[in-house]
Amino acid sequence: MLYAILCYHDEDTVGSWSREHEDAVMAKLAVVQEKFDAQGRLGPVARLLPTTAATTLRKDGDPPLVIDGPFAETKEQLLGFYIIEATGLDDALEAARELGRANPGGSYEIRPVGLFRPGSVAT
Amino acid sequence: MTDLAWIDAALTSARPQALGALLRYFRDLDTAEEAYQNACLRALRTWPQNGPPRDATAWLILVARNSGIDDARRRGKQQALPPDEAISDIDDAESELAERLDGSHYRDDILRLLFICCHPDLQPTQQIALALRIVSGLGLKQIARAFLVSEAAMEQRITRAKAAVAKAGVPFETPGAVERSERLAAVAAMIYLIFNEGYSASGEAIGSRTPLCDEAIRLARLLLRLFAAEPEIMGLLSLMLLQHARVAARYDADGGIVLLDDQDRGRWNRQMIAEGMALIDKAMRHRRSGPYQVQAAIAALHSGAAHPGETDWTQIELLYRTLEVQQPSPVVTLNRAVAVSKVQGPQAALDLIAPLGRRLDGYFNYHGVRGALLLQLGRTREAHEAFDRAIALAGTTAEAAHIRMHIDRLMADCTAATTAPGLK
């Protein structure tokens, strides 16, 4: 079963990391991701730019309204996501814990994936 | 990540909002700062054991407020401070306070805090020093190093700035729409000053001053989060990201500045460029142009070119025309002349800058650009005179050496079609 691991954290705090700290966290995360990759269970991984770069399209009006900023003003923001293959929730949680040990702070939301198309974007 | 690194990042990111709220509460900068300092000390003592609070900013404001009140009481009645344990169980109060913080207040709190740092009575250098000390919470040592002065001198500068601000009075009433937008413009200008302090560094100052660019970007992000629909704030953040993205390619081994045309574009920071491009894209949708957006658009055109030869100089020239209208200055015209030389050739550019001679005679870059244009026209002797003038006017020996190196290269390949010195 595929799971999305949605990464939430206070982007102000993440934005206050020193460059060394940022590099150290990314290096630790890379080790975990490479392990998942070698096991053939790692899907797309995305890190999102800060919410200041976000634009929201509200579709409940006609015409839809374009609003600067993220969909919701929350204390912690959606900063990125992983798609991983796991045998079940326990397995997905274990994968999330492993990522969390490399990058503590904030929260991961683990969501089973209903429909998945890898798409055609070349990276 | 160690506990301390996490706490450090949390304290840094909470600072503007917490200090802004405390300033509103105590109405005195020193009291607010001291109270926040006390709260940070308590955080360092209690967070490693108790874990971080759910809302770090609310925790810090509450603890700082209690500490400030206690200090006032102690001074009045010589009463003892409550022990740390007494304030560790503040969960209910914390969520209640967080509730109130989500209201409209904190936007104006942070803006006010930034705004008092750019009081018109303060010199630009005082404004920057005060903002870095108060809002960013940088240490005296770090700020002093960035400005190449002693810690004692910097402390005095900040103390004087604080006194000037206190004398002028801090505006505590909620600003109206017009006043808010005036404050926003003053704060944006101050943030860009901080950025340029870092961006203009060269040689030995690079290490101590480049962090100012990161700090300015952080402050602009904070401001944009609060005023999400302001295209000029998007433009400001975009401009700084696009310029700072080149930092790894902007210096040679000796700390000399490498011109845009000569930079290794593979060393530009692609993520910062992507964010800068996204922001200018967003800003232009508003169709409310302004100088930051135009400058960001120019920077974006440079960033979008894989090679210097692919640069869209026609578009850049048009943007400089717009900038000349919005923010007339001979330096802007000089920059436009570089674009004109790429589009219409050196003679048109030379004609454009001829009337600037009187006002820019003391500006080394004017003579540098003029020399390069003359050289392209084959007027070698005049070009030499202009270059000599540029070298004589250079602020530092490193700058002079850099110009000389640039000239040597121009002279070497002036038989082929050459280019004017690009923008930094």
Side-chain angles (χ1 to χ4, degrees), chain B residues 330-375:
Chain B
V331 175
V332 172
T333 306
L334 183 66
N335 284 329
R336 179 157 84 84
V338 175
V340 165
S341 79
K342 306 273 187 181
V343 180
Q344 300 170 40
Q347 188 58 56
L350 207 55
D351 294 344
L352 180 65
I353 66 169
L356 305 179
R358 211 164 37 84
R359 292 173 68 192
L360 290 184
D361 196 42
Y363 182 48
F364 79 89
N365 213 17
Y366 167 74
H367 297 284
V369 169
R370 195 164 164 272
L373 295 172
L374 288 166
L375 196 64

mmCIF file of all heavy atoms in Angstrom, chain B residues 330-375:
data_model
loop_
_atom_site.group_PDB
_atom_site.id
_atom_site.type_symbol
_atom_site.label_atom_id
_atom_site.label_comp_id
_atom_site.label_asym_id
_atom_site.label_seq_id
_atom_site.Cartn_x
_atom_site.Cartn_y
_atom_site.Cartn_z
ATOM 1 N N PRO B 330 20.737 59.289 -11.503
ATOM 2 C CA PRO B 330 21.754 59.126 -12.549
ATOM 3 C C PRO B 330 22.340 57.709 -12.567
ATOM 4 O O PRO B 330 22.763 57.235 -13.618
ATOM 5 C CB PRO B 330 22.821 60.163 -12.188
ATOM 6 C CG PRO B 330 22.517 60.627 -10.817
ATOM 7 C CD PRO B 330 21.076 60.360 -10.556
ATOM 8 N N VAL B 331 22.358 57.038 -11.407
ATOM 9 C CA VAL B 331 22.912 55.682 -11.366
ATOM 10 C C VAL B 331 22.011 54.716 -12.141
ATOM 11 O O VAL B 331 22.494 53.824 -12.844
ATOM 12 C CB VAL B 331 23.115 55.212 -9.905
ATOM 13 C CG1 VAL B 331 23.567 53.763 -9.866
ATOM 14 C CG2 VAL B 331 24.142 56.097 -9.201
ATOM 15 N N VAL B 332 20.700 54.936 -12.044
ATOM 16 C CA VAL B 332 19.768 54.098 -12.815
ATOM 17 C C VAL B 332 20.002 54.315 -14.311
ATOM 18 O O VAL B 332 20.045 53.373 -15.097
ATOM 19 C CB VAL B 332 18.302 54.416 -12.435
ATOM 20 C CG1 VAL B 332 17.335 53.692 -13.371
ATOM 21 C CG2 VAL B 332 18.018 54.029 -10.987
ATOM 22 N N THR B 333 20.186 55.590 -14.699
ATOM 23 C CA THR B 333 20.443 55.892 -16.105
ATOM 24 C C THR B 333 21.750 55.243 -16.569
ATOM 25 O O THR B 333 21.846 54.716 -17.677
ATOM 26 C CB THR B 333 20.501 57.419 -16.316
ATOM 27 O OG1 THR B 333 19.303 57.990 -15.787
ATOM 28 C CG2 THR B 333 20.614 57.762 -17.787
ATOM 29 N N LEU B 334 22.758 55.266 -15.692
ATOM 30 C CA LEU B 334 24.035 54.639 -16.025
ATOM 31 C C LEU B 334 23.827 53.138 -16.284
ATOM 32 O O LEU B 334 24.366 52.568 -17.240
ATOM 33 C CB LEU B 334 25.033 54.852 -14.879
ATOM 34 C CG LEU B 334 26.441 54.311 -15.100
ATOM 35 C CD1 LEU B 334 27.143 55.065 -16.224
ATOM 36 C CD2 LEU B 334 27.272 54.416 -13.817
ATOM 37 N N ASN B 335 23.031 52.496 -15.437
ATOM 38 C CA ASN B 335 22.736 51.078 -15.628
ATOM 39 C C ASN B 335 21.969 50.851 -16.927
ATOM 40 O O ASN B 335 22.195 49.864 -17.623
ATOM 41 C CB ASN B 335 21.921 50.527 -14.446
ATOM 42 C CG ASN B 335 22.794 50.307 -13.225
ATOM 43 O OD1 ASN B 335 23.985 50.006 -13.353
ATOM 44 N ND2 ASN B 335 22.220 50.469 -12.047
ATOM 45 N N ARG B 336 21.050 51.781 -17.250
ATOM 46 C CA ARG B 336 20.313 51.655 -18.503
ATOM 47 C C ARG B 336 21.269 51.756 -19.686
ATOM 48 O O ARG B 336 21.108 51.066 -20.696
ATOM 49 C CB ARG B 336 19.220 52.727 -18.607
ATOM 50 C CG ARG B 336 18.445 52.632 -19.920
ATOM 51 C CD ARG B 336 17.088 53.263 -19.831
ATOM 52 N NE ARG B 336 17.087 54.696 -20.051
ATOM 53 C CZ ARG B 336 17.060 55.285 -21.256
ATOM 54 N NH1 ARG B 336 17.071 54.553 -22.338
ATOM 55 N NH2 ARG B 336 17.038 56.592 -21.345
ATOM 56 N N ALA B 337 22.290 52.617 -19.526
ATOM 57 C CA ALA B 337 23.253 52.805 -20.614
ATOM 58 C C ALA B 337 23.954 51.487 -20.947
ATOM 59 O O ALA B 337 24.230 51.206 -22.122
ATOM 60 C CB ALA B 337 24.276 53.872 -20.222
ATOM 61 N N VAL B 338 24.239 50.677 -19.927
ATOM 62 C CA VAL B 338 24.880 49.381 -20.183
ATOM 63 C C VAL B 338 23.957 48.529 -21.046
ATOM 64 O O VAL B 338 24.400 47.911 -22.024
ATOM 65 C CB VAL B 338 25.217 48.662 -18.858
ATOM 66 C CG1 VAL B 338 25.758 47.262 -19.132
ATOM 67 C CG2 VAL B 338 26.229 49.468 -18.051
ATOM 68 N N ALA B 339 22.656 48.549 -20.721
ATOM 69 C CA ALA B 339 21.687 47.794 -21.530
ATOM 70 C C ALA B 339 21.599 48.370 -22.941
ATOM 71 O O ALA B 339 21.542 47.626 -23.926
ATOM 72 C CB ALA B 339 20.319 47.802 -20.852
ATOM 73 N N VAL B 340 21.603 49.708 -23.029
ATOM 74 C CA VAL B 340 21.533 50.362 -24.348
ATOM 75 C C VAL B 340 22.725 49.953 -25.212
ATOM 76 O O VAL B 340 22.584 49.683 -26.407
ATOM 77 C CB VAL B 340 21.473 51.904 -24.189
ATOM 78 C CG1 VAL B 340 21.758 52.610 -25.512
ATOM 79 C CG2 VAL B 340 20.100 52.330 -23.661
ATOM 80 N N SER B 341 23.904 49.869 -24.604
ATOM 81 C CA SER B 341 25.097 49.514 -25.377
ATOM 82 C C SER B 341 24.968 48.109 -25.965
ATOM 83 O O SER B 341 25.480 47.833 -27.039
ATOM 84 C CB SER B 341 26.350 49.611 -24.508
ATOM 85 O OG SER B 341 26.488 48.477 -23.681
ATOM 86 N N LYS B 342 24.251 47.232 -25.253
ATOM 87 C CA LYS B 342 24.081 45.863 -25.755
ATOM 88 C C LYS B 342 23.067 45.830 -26.896
ATOM 89 O O LYS B 342 23.150 44.986 -27.778
ATOM 90 C CB LYS B 342 23.575 44.937 -24.641
ATOM 91 C CG LYS B 342 24.412 44.956 -23.387
ATOM 92 C CD LYS B 342 25.556 43.966 -23.463
ATOM 93 C CE LYS B 342 26.259 43.913 -22.126
ATOM 94 N NZ LYS B 342 27.391 42.989 -22.123
ATOM 95 N N VAL B 343 22.089 46.741 -26.845
ATOM 96 C CA VAL B 343 21.015 46.713 -27.833
ATOM 97 C C VAL B 343 21.340 47.599 -29.040
ATOM 98 O O VAL B 343 21.198 47.178 -30.182
ATOM 99 C CB VAL B 343 19.678 47.162 -27.193
ATOM 100 C CG1 VAL B 343 18.556 47.131 -28.227
ATOM 101 C CG2 VAL B 343 19.333 46.277 -26.007
ATOM 102 N N GLN B 344 21.778 48.840 -28.748
ATOM 103 C CA GLN B 344 21.983 49.807 -29.843
ATOM 104 C C GLN B 344 23.448 50.127 -30.114
ATOM 105 O O GLN B 344 23.745 50.928 -30.995
ATOM 106 C CB GLN B 344 21.242 51.115 -29.532
ATOM 107 C CG GLN B 344 19.743 50.949 -29.372
ATOM 108 C CD GLN B 344 19.118 52.231 -28.836
ATOM 109 O OE1 GLN B 344 19.485 53.314 -29.230
ATOM 110 N NE2 GLN B 344 18.173 52.088 -27.931
ATOM 111 N N GLY B 345 24.331 49.593 -29.301
ATOM 112 C CA GLY B 345 25.744 49.838 -29.519
ATOM 113 C C GLY B 345 26.314 50.916 -28.624
ATOM 114 O O GLY B 345 25.569 51.655 -27.960
ATOM 115 N N PRO B 346 27.645 51.019 -28.594
ATOM 116 C CA PRO B 346 28.331 51.902 -27.633
ATOM 117 C C PRO B 346 28.057 53.395 -27.833
ATOM 118 O O PRO B 346 27.990 54.134 -26.853
ATOM 119 C CB PRO B 346 29.817 51.577 -27.849
ATOM 120 C CG PRO B 346 29.901 50.870 -29.164
ATOM 121 C CD PRO B 346 28.574 50.202 -29.380
ATOM 122 N N GLN B 347 27.890 53.844 -29.091
ATOM 123 C CA GLN B 347 27.708 55.288 -29.292
ATOM 124 C C GLN B 347 26.416 55.784 -28.646
ATOM 125 O O GLN B 347 26.399 56.818 -27.975
ATOM 126 C CB GLN B 347 27.715 55.625 -30.797
ATOM 127 C CG GLN B 347 27.730 57.125 -31.095
ATOM 128 C CD GLN B 347 28.943 57.840 -30.464
ATOM 129 O OE1 GLN B 347 30.091 57.474 -30.698
ATOM 130 N NE2 GLN B 347 28.678 58.852 -29.634
ATOM 131 N N ALA B 348 25.319 55.022 -28.827
ATOM 132 C CA ALA B 348 24.034 55.410 -28.226
ATOM 133 C C ALA B 348 24.160 55.473 -26.703
ATOM 134 O O ALA B 348 23.618 56.374 -26.050
ATOM 135 C CB ALA B 348 22.951 54.402 -28.628
ATOM 136 N N ALA B 349 24.887 54.512 -26.132
ATOM 137 C CA ALA B 349 25.067 54.488 -24.683
ATOM 138 C C ALA B 349 25.888 55.675 -24.217
ATOM 139 O O ALA B 349 25.589 56.307 -23.194
ATOM 140 C CB ALA B 349 25.733 53.174 -24.263
ATOM 141 N N LEU B 350 26.918 55.984 -24.986
ATOM 142 C CA LEU B 350 27.784 57.109 -24.631
ATOM 143 C C LEU B 350 26.998 58.420 -24.660
ATOM 144 O O LEU B 350 27.148 59.271 -23.777
ATOM 145 C CB LEU B 350 28.955 57.163 -25.621
ATOM 146 C CG LEU B 350 30.257 57.785 -25.125
ATOM 147 C CD1 LEU B 350 30.755 57.122 -23.856
ATOM 148 C CD2 LEU B 350 31.321 57.737 -26.208
ATOM 149 N N ASP B 351 26.139 58.573 -25.679
ATOM 150 C CA ASP B 351 25.297 59.773 -25.766
ATOM 151 C C ASP B 351 24.378 59.871 -24.554
ATOM 152 O O ASP B 351 24.124 60.950 -24.035
ATOM 153 C CB ASP B 351 24.438 59.736 -27.045
ATOM 154 C CG ASP B 351 25.306 59.820 -28.298
ATOM 155 O OD1 ASP B 351 26.494 60.201 -28.161
ATOM 156 O OD2 ASP B 351 24.816 59.483 -29.390
ATOM 157 N N LEU B 352 23.890 58.717 -24.122
ATOM 158 C CA LEU B 352 22.952 58.700 -22.990
ATOM 159 C C LEU B 352 23.634 59.152 -21.696
ATOM 160 O O LEU B 352 23.035 59.876 -20.888
ATOM 161 C CB LEU B 352 22.379 57.281 -22.825
ATOM 162 C CG LEU B 352 21.374 57.069 -21.704
ATOM 163 C CD1 LEU B 352 20.102 57.869 -21.968
ATOM 164 C CD2 LEU B 352 21.028 55.594 -21.555
ATOM 165 N N ILE B 353 24.883 58.730 -21.490
ATOM 166 C CA ILE B 353 25.513 59.072 -20.210
ATOM 167 C C ILE B 353 26.256 60.402 -20.239
ATOM 168 O O ILE B 353 26.668 60.899 -19.194
ATOM 169 C CB ILE B 353 26.466 57.959 -19.696
ATOM 170 C CG1 ILE B 353 27.678 57.789 -20.627
ATOM 171 C CG2 ILE B 353 25.727 56.652 -19.505
ATOM 172 C CD1 ILE B 353 28.760 56.906 -20.000
ATOM 173 N N ALA B 354 26.417 60.993 -21.437
ATOM 174 C CA ALA B 354 27.156 62.256 -21.514
ATOM 175 C C ALA B 354 26.628 63.318 -20.542
ATOM 176 O O ALA B 354 27.418 63.950 -19.830
ATOM 177 C CB ALA B 354 27.146 62.773 -22.951
ATOM 178 N N PRO B 355 25.291 63.508 -20.446
ATOM 179 C CA PRO B 355 24.806 64.553 -19.535
ATOM 180 C C PRO B 355 24.989 64.210 -18.049
ATOM 181 O O PRO B 355 24.774 65.057 -17.193
ATOM 182 C CB PRO B 355 23.300 64.649 -19.851
ATOM 183 C CG PRO B 355 23.050 63.762 -21.018
ATOM 184 C CD PRO B 355 24.197 62.834 -21.156
ATOM 185 N N LEU B 356 25.380 62.961 -17.729
ATOM 186 C CA LEU B 356 25.488 62.567 -16.320
ATOM 187 C C LEU B 356 26.829 62.975 -15.730
ATOM 188 O O LEU B 356 27.033 62.921 -14.519
ATOM 189 C CB LEU B 356 25.354 61.040 -16.178
ATOM 190 C CG LEU B 356 24.103 60.389 -16.770
ATOM 191 C CD1 LEU B 356 24.169 58.883 -16.560
ATOM 192 C CD2 LEU B 356 22.853 60.965 -16.126
ATOM 193 N N GLY B 357 27.779 63.339 -16.607
ATOM 194 C CA GLY B 357 29.152 63.589 -16.186
ATOM 195 C C GLY B 357 29.273 64.482 -14.959
ATOM 196 O O GLY B 357 30.049 64.200 -14.049
ATOM 197 N N ARG B 358 28.486 65.551 -14.934
ATOM 198 C CA ARG B 358 28.623 66.500 -13.833
ATOM 199 C C ARG B 358 28.230 65.864 -12.498
ATOM 200 O O ARG B 358 28.908 66.024 -11.496
ATOM 201 C CB ARG B 358 27.758 67.734 -14.113
ATOM 202 C CG ARG B 358 28.319 69.026 -13.544
ATOM 203 C CD ARG B 358 27.651 70.239 -14.178
ATOM 204 N NE ARG B 358 26.221 70.012 -14.435
ATOM 205 C CZ ARG B 358 25.253 70.174 -13.524
ATOM 206 N NH1 ARG B 358 25.563 70.602 -12.326
ATOM 207 N NH2 ARG B 358 23.987 69.943 -13.839
ATOM 208 N N ARG B 359 27.136 65.082 -12.537
ATOM 209 C CA ARG B 359 26.638 64.528 -11.269
ATOM 210 C C ARG B 359 27.372 63.264 -10.836
ATOM 211 O O ARG B 359 27.423 62.937 -9.661
ATOM 212 C CB ARG B 359 25.138 64.248 -11.383
ATOM 213 C CG ARG B 359 24.348 65.551 -11.488
ATOM 214 C CD ARG B 359 22.900 65.297 -11.777
ATOM 215 N NE ARG B 359 22.218 64.673 -10.659
ATOM 216 C CZ ARG B 359 21.006 64.141 -10.750
ATOM 217 N NH1 ARG B 359 20.386 64.129 -11.902
ATOM 218 N NH2 ARG B 359 20.431 63.613 -9.697
ATOM 219 N N LEU B 360 27.902 62.534 -11.799
ATOM 220 C CA LEU B 360 28.541 61.257 -11.443
ATOM 221 C C LEU B 360 30.059 61.312 -11.530
ATOM 222 O O LEU B 360 30.713 60.282 -11.505
ATOM 223 C CB LEU B 360 28.011 60.138 -12.353
ATOM 224 C CG LEU B 360 26.559 59.703 -12.145
ATOM 225 C CD1 LEU B 360 26.225 58.530 -13.056
ATOM 226 C CD2 LEU B 360 26.291 59.323 -10.696
ATOM 227 N N ASP B 361 30.598 62.521 -11.596
ATOM 228 C CA ASP B 361 32.037 62.631 -11.814
ATOM 229 C C ASP B 361 32.846 61.941 -10.710
ATOM 230 O O ASP B 361 33.948 61.458 -10.944
ATOM 231 C CB ASP B 361 32.438 64.108 -11.922
ATOM 232 C CG ASP B 361 33.826 64.254 -12.528
ATOM 233 O OD1 ASP B 361 34.113 63.528 -13.501
ATOM 234 O OD2 ASP B 361 34.633 65.055 -11.999
ATOM 235 N N GLY B 362 32.289 61.875 -9.513
ATOM 236 C CA GLY B 362 33.016 61.262 -8.405
ATOM 237 C C GLY B 362 32.724 59.784 -8.231
ATOM 238 O O GLY B 362 33.109 59.182 -7.226
ATOM 239 N N TYR B 363 32.006 59.189 -9.177
ATOM 240 C CA TYR B 363 31.555 57.793 -9.032
ATOM 241 C C TYR B 363 32.401 56.916 -9.945
ATOM 242 O O TYR B 363 32.345 57.056 -11.174
ATOM 243 C CB TYR B 363 30.081 57.732 -9.408
ATOM 244 C CG TYR B 363 29.411 56.378 -9.274
ATOM 245 C CD1 TYR B 363 29.563 55.617 -8.114
ATOM 246 C CD2 TYR B 363 28.608 55.888 -10.287
ATOM 247 C CE1 TYR B 363 28.944 54.396 -7.991
ATOM 248 C CE2 TYR B 363 27.974 54.661 -10.172
ATOM 249 C CZ TYR B 363 28.146 53.923 -9.026
ATOM 250 O OH TYR B 363 27.531 52.720 -8.906
ATOM 251 N N PHE B 364 33.176 55.995 -9.361
ATOM 252 C CA PHE B 364 34.163 55.266 -10.167
ATOM 253 C C PHE B 364 33.510 54.445 -11.267
ATOM 254 O O PHE B 364 34.031 54.310 -12.376
ATOM 255 C CB PHE B 364 35.063 54.390 -9.274
ATOM 256 C CG PHE B 364 34.449 53.094 -8.818
ATOM 257 C CD1 PHE B 364 34.574 51.952 -9.600
ATOM 258 C CD2 PHE B 364 33.776 53.013 -7.620
ATOM 259 C CE1 PHE B 364 34.018 50.757 -9.179
ATOM 260 C CE2 PHE B 364 33.217 51.822 -7.199
ATOM 261 C CZ PHE B 364 33.332 50.697 -7.978
ATOM 262 N N ASN B 365 32.301 53.923 -10.983
ATOM 263 C CA ASN B 365 31.642 53.067 -11.960
ATOM 264 C C ASN B 365 31.266 53.843 -13.237
ATOM 265 O O ASN B 365 31.266 53.285 -14.329
ATOM 266 C CB ASN B 365 30.397 52.452 -11.325
ATOM 267 C CG ASN B 365 30.132 51.063 -11.846
ATOM 268 O OD1 ASN B 365 31.019 50.438 -12.425
ATOM 269 N ND2 ASN B 365 28.924 50.581 -11.656
ATOM 270 N N TYR B 366 30.978 55.142 -13.066
ATOM 271 C CA TYR B 366 30.653 55.977 -14.229
ATOM 272 C C TYR B 366 31.832 55.996 -15.200
ATOM 273 O O TYR B 366 31.673 55.793 -16.403
ATOM 274 C CB TYR B 366 30.296 57.403 -13.779
ATOM 275 C CG TYR B 366 30.246 58.408 -14.909
ATOM 276 C CD1 TYR B 366 29.176 58.412 -15.802
ATOM 277 C CD2 TYR B 366 31.266 59.339 -15.087
ATOM 278 C CE1 TYR B 366 29.135 59.316 -16.852
ATOM 279 C CE2 TYR B 366 31.234 60.250 -16.133
ATOM 280 C CZ TYR B 366 30.163 60.232 -17.018
ATOM 281 O OH TYR B 366 30.128 61.125 -18.048
ATOM 282 N N HIS B 367 33.018 56.216 -14.631
ATOM 283 C CA HIS B 367 34.210 56.275 -15.491
ATOM 284 C C HIS B 367 34.556 54.903 -16.045
ATOM 285 O O HIS B 367 35.057 54.790 -17.165
ATOM 286 C CB HIS B 367 35.372 56.881 -14.708
ATOM 287 C CG HIS B 367 35.097 58.293 -14.290
ATOM 288 N ND1 HIS B 367 35.166 59.350 -15.156
ATOM 289 C CD2 HIS B 367 34.677 58.805 -13.101
ATOM 290 C CE1 HIS B 367 34.841 60.469 -14.517
ATOM 291 N NE2 HIS B 367 34.529 60.154 -13.272
ATOM 292 N N GLY B 368 34.260 53.860 -15.272
ATOM 293 C CA GLY B 368 34.504 52.490 -15.740
ATOM 294 C C GLY B 368 33.646 52.177 -16.954
ATOM 295 O O GLY B 368 34.135 51.686 -17.979
ATOM 296 N N VAL B 369 32.341 52.480 -16.847
ATOM 297 C CA VAL B 369 31.418 52.218 -17.959
ATOM 298 C C VAL B 369 31.809 53.068 -19.164
ATOM 299 O O VAL B 369 31.888 52.588 -20.293
ATOM 300 C CB VAL B 369 29.953 52.519 -17.544
ATOM 301 C CG1 VAL B 369 29.023 52.512 -18.757
ATOM 302 C CG2 VAL B 369 29.473 51.515 -16.503
ATOM 303 N N ARG B 370 32.104 54.349 -18.906
ATOM 304 C CA ARG B 370 32.467 55.261 -19.987
ATOM 305 C C ARG B 370 33.723 54.763 -20.708
ATOM 306 O O ARG B 370 33.773 54.732 -21.942
ATOM 307 C CB ARG B 370 32.694 56.663 -19.391
ATOM 308 C CG ARG B 370 32.714 57.739 -20.429
ATOM 309 C CD ARG B 370 32.543 59.141 -19.872
ATOM 310 N NE ARG B 370 32.978 60.063 -20.924
ATOM 311 C CZ ARG B 370 34.233 60.462 -21.074
ATOM 312 N NH1 ARG B 370 35.168 60.076 -20.223
ATOM 313 N NH2 ARG B 370 34.562 61.251 -22.078
ATOM 314 N N GLY B 371 34.706 54.339 -19.935
ATOM 315 C CA GLY B 371 35.944 53.832 -20.519
ATOM 316 C C GLY B 371 35.690 52.636 -21.420
ATOM 317 O O GLY B 371 36.220 52.546 -22.523
ATOM 318 N N ALA B 372 34.853 51.721 -20.945
ATOM 319 C CA ALA B 372 34.568 50.517 -21.722
ATOM 320 C C ALA B 372 33.870 50.871 -23.038
ATOM 321 O O ALA B 372 34.164 50.284 -24.079
ATOM 322 C CB ALA B 372 33.706 49.565 -20.902
ATOM 323 N N LEU B 373 32.955 51.850 -22.972
ATOM 324 C CA LEU B 373 32.236 52.260 -24.189
ATOM 325 C C LEU B 373 33.199 52.912 -25.190
ATOM 326 O O LEU B 373 33.159 52.640 -26.392
ATOM 327 C CB LEU B 373 31.100 53.238 -23.838
ATOM 328 C CG LEU B 373 29.960 52.661 -22.981
ATOM 329 C CD1 LEU B 373 29.011 53.767 -22.536
ATOM 330 C CD2 LEU B 373 29.208 51.584 -23.752
ATOM 331 N N LEU B 374 34.078 53.788 -24.661
ATOM 332 C CA LEU B 374 35.061 54.461 -25.528
ATOM 333 C C LEU B 374 35.976 53.440 -26.189
ATOM 334 O O LEU B 374 36.311 53.558 -27.371
ATOM 335 C CB LEU B 374 35.885 55.463 -24.700
ATOM 336 C CG LEU B 374 35.136 56.730 -24.268
ATOM 337 C CD1 LEU B 374 35.913 57.464 -23.181
ATOM 338 C CD2 LEU B 374 34.886 57.645 -25.469
ATOM 339 N N LEU B 375 36.346 52.436 -25.409
ATOM 340 C CA LEU B 375 37.234 51.397 -25.926
ATOM 341 C C LEU B 375 36.576 50.648 -27.081
ATOM 342 O O LEU B 375 37.212 50.367 -28.104
ATOM 343 C CB LEU B 375 37.583 50.432 -24.795
ATOM 344 C CG LEU B 375 38.775 49.511 -25.046
ATOM 345 C CD1 LEU B 375 40.045 50.335 -25.199
ATOM 346 C CD2 LEU B 375 38.926 48.538 -23.885
#
